[in-house]
């Protein structure tokens, strides 16, 4: 195999695979294959594209949302202990809808948080990451012709997943309010217009997707905002898919409110969580959906006919880790109490660095991410060829990766096509990184901002 100089075998394979040429097929054979209609128009994926770029060039990677620090010892040890078990059952298939120890502790843990008793067998479904839980929601509950309301900016997969289910996404933007004299704005300044939101509900609306804390903005929806959404769900009798993967990552004393706990919402909400985000182990790909049996039954049908179940040892490890956290819930020694404190310091480190170079950060109330406005960035950037197809932020990030060795994600990727051009001056950084990585990014930005045009 001809390898690009300087690339490891793993990186080379990643690069080739992302180019979309499976090594065993000839091009001629591939072109004879006609695709299914459901994959029409959903073939582009921001992660495939930008993960490949970040892997091809040597970058300080603040792009994709994963920590580059290890999960805590008790979590890693839980996995090691799980796979060291002589009990052969840990190494074999387990219950399709969730390994019994995991569904038991998830029901106990979230039952306490939601203030209701959860049945491990009917109110919990374990999935391959939150991603699969989302897929099961759309496939199991959205039909041809159904409309699904999506709040912009949104985690990119919602749109193709709705379309693959035959549904129509209907978008409603969070609009930034004026900063009223403040130099720094907050994700809390981005709000829904209640009348505009209500107007999106039609006879065809089946569900609304809520993501709080929101990726990429970092907005944590307030109880009042959630009550507005909940009221509309009840009034129009529609479902809510509540993606809460960043539920623990909330800063500045903000509180994460679970919409399923609001009046009238349990029966119509599927709440989605991620052990990857909870325990800083995104590669484990263990997630879950919580909800009433009559909704989850349809997710189980999709799950049993696609993935069937998630790796047993990973489920066992997550069960053990959650058990440990359950004993010390809300206590200072809890990882889920300590992690947001650490991340808030990292957020502030990055906010200071970006402010100093004129990339105006929107201070996030939660998540791993912050978005920054690059329109007043004090550094020479070449005239990036105008393109009707590719938004400016995307061209900017590609240039930055290739020429400055710093990876981020263009925020237009989190918008629907008509809105992309209105939000193409923001880029998203992930601050769930070692301080050394954040400092390396700061060095790049500082040196770049001190350069003279033409240098
Ligand atoms: N839902 C949201 C809102 C997510 O952010 C993610 C993970 N995505 O992170 C990649 C990035 O934005 O850089 C998921 C769902 C999927 O979670 P899981 O990893 O558990 O499948």
């Amino acid at each position: 195999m001809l390898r690009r100089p300087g690339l490891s075998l793993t990186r080379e394979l990643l690069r080739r695979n992302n180019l979309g040429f499976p090594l065993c097929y000839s091009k001629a054979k591939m072109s004879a294959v006609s695709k299914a209609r459901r994959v029409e128009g959903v073939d582009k994926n921001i992660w495939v594209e930008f993960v490949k770029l970040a892997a091809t060039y040597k970058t300080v990677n603040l792009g994709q949302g994963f920590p580059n620090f290890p999960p805590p010892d008790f979590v890693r040890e839980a996995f090691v202990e799980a796979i060291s078990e002589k009990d052969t059952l840990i190494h074999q298939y387990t219950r399709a809808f969730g390994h019994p120890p995991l569904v038991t502790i998830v029901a106990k843990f979230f039952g306490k948080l939601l203030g209701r008793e959860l049945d491990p067998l009917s109110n919990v479904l374990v999935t391959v990451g939150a991603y699969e839980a989302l897929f099961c929601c759309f496939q199991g509950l959205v039909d041809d012709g159904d409309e699904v309301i999506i709040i912009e900016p949104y985690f990119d997969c919602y749109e193709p997943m709705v379309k693959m289910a035959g549904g129509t996404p209907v978008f409603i933007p969070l609009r930034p309010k004026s900063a009223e004299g403040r130099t720094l704005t907050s994700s809390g300044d981005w709000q829904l217009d209640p009348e505009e939101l209500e107007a999106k509900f039609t006879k065809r609306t089946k569900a609304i997707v809520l993501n709080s804390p929101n990726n990429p903005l970092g907005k944590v929806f307030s109880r009042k905002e959630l009550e507005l959404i909940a009221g509309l769900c009840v009034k129009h009798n529609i479902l809510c898919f509540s993606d809460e993967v960043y539920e623990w990552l909330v800063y500045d004393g903000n509180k994460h409110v679970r919409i399923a706990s609001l009046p009238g919402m349990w029966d119509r909400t599927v709440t989605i969580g991620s052990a990857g985000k909870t325990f800083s182990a995104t590669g484990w790909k263990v997630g879950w959906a919580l909800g009433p049996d009559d909704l989850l039954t349809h997710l189980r049908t999709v799950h049993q006919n696609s993935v069937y179940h998630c790796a047993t040892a990973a489920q066992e490890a997550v069960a053990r880790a959650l058990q440990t956290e359950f004993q010390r819930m809300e206590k200072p020694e809890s990882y889920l109490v300590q992690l947001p404190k650490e991340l808030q310091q990292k957020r502030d480190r990055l906010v200071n660095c970006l402010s100093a170079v004129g990339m105006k950060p929107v201070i996030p109330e939660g998540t791993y991410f912050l978005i920054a406005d690059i329109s007043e960035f004090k550094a020479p950037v070449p005239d990036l060829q105008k393109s009707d197809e590719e938004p400016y932020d995307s061209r900017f990030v590609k240039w930055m990766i290739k020429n400055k060795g710093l990876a981020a994600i263009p925020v237009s990727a989190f918008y629907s096509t008509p809105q992309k051009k209105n939000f193409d001056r923001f880029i998203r950084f992930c601050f769930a990184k070692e301080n050394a990585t954040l400092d390396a990014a700061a060095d790049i930005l500082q040196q770049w901002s001190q350069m003279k045009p033409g240098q």
Side-chain angles (χ1 to χ4, degrees), residues 289-301:
L290 313 175
D293 191 27
D294 61 347
L295 294 183
L296 284 204
T297 188
H298 305 301
L299 277 68
R300 289 194 289 267
T301 302

Side-chain angles (χ1 to χ4, degrees), residues 47 64-65 129-131 155 215 243 245-246 274 277 285 428:
W47 309 112
Q64 202 183 16
Y131 219 92
F155 182 49
N215 176 10
D243 179 345
V245 300
Y246 300 104
S274 165
K277 304 290 179 183
K285 290 297 281 184
R428 191 198 78 173

Side-chain angles (χ1 to χ4, degrees), residues 47 63-66 128-132 134 155-158 211 213-215 243 245-246 272-277 282 285-287 369 409 414 428:
W47 309 112
Q64 202 183 16
F66 62 90
V128 179
Y131 219 92
E132 196 228 333
L134 287 162
F155 182 49
D156 65 303
C157 73
Y158 303 154
N211 174 214
N214 166 278
N215 176 10
D243 179 345
V245 300
Y246 300 104
I272 291 161
S274 165
K277 304 290 179 183
T282 59
K285 290 297 281 184
V286 176
F369 310 110
I409 301 290
F414 302 90
R428 191 198 78 173

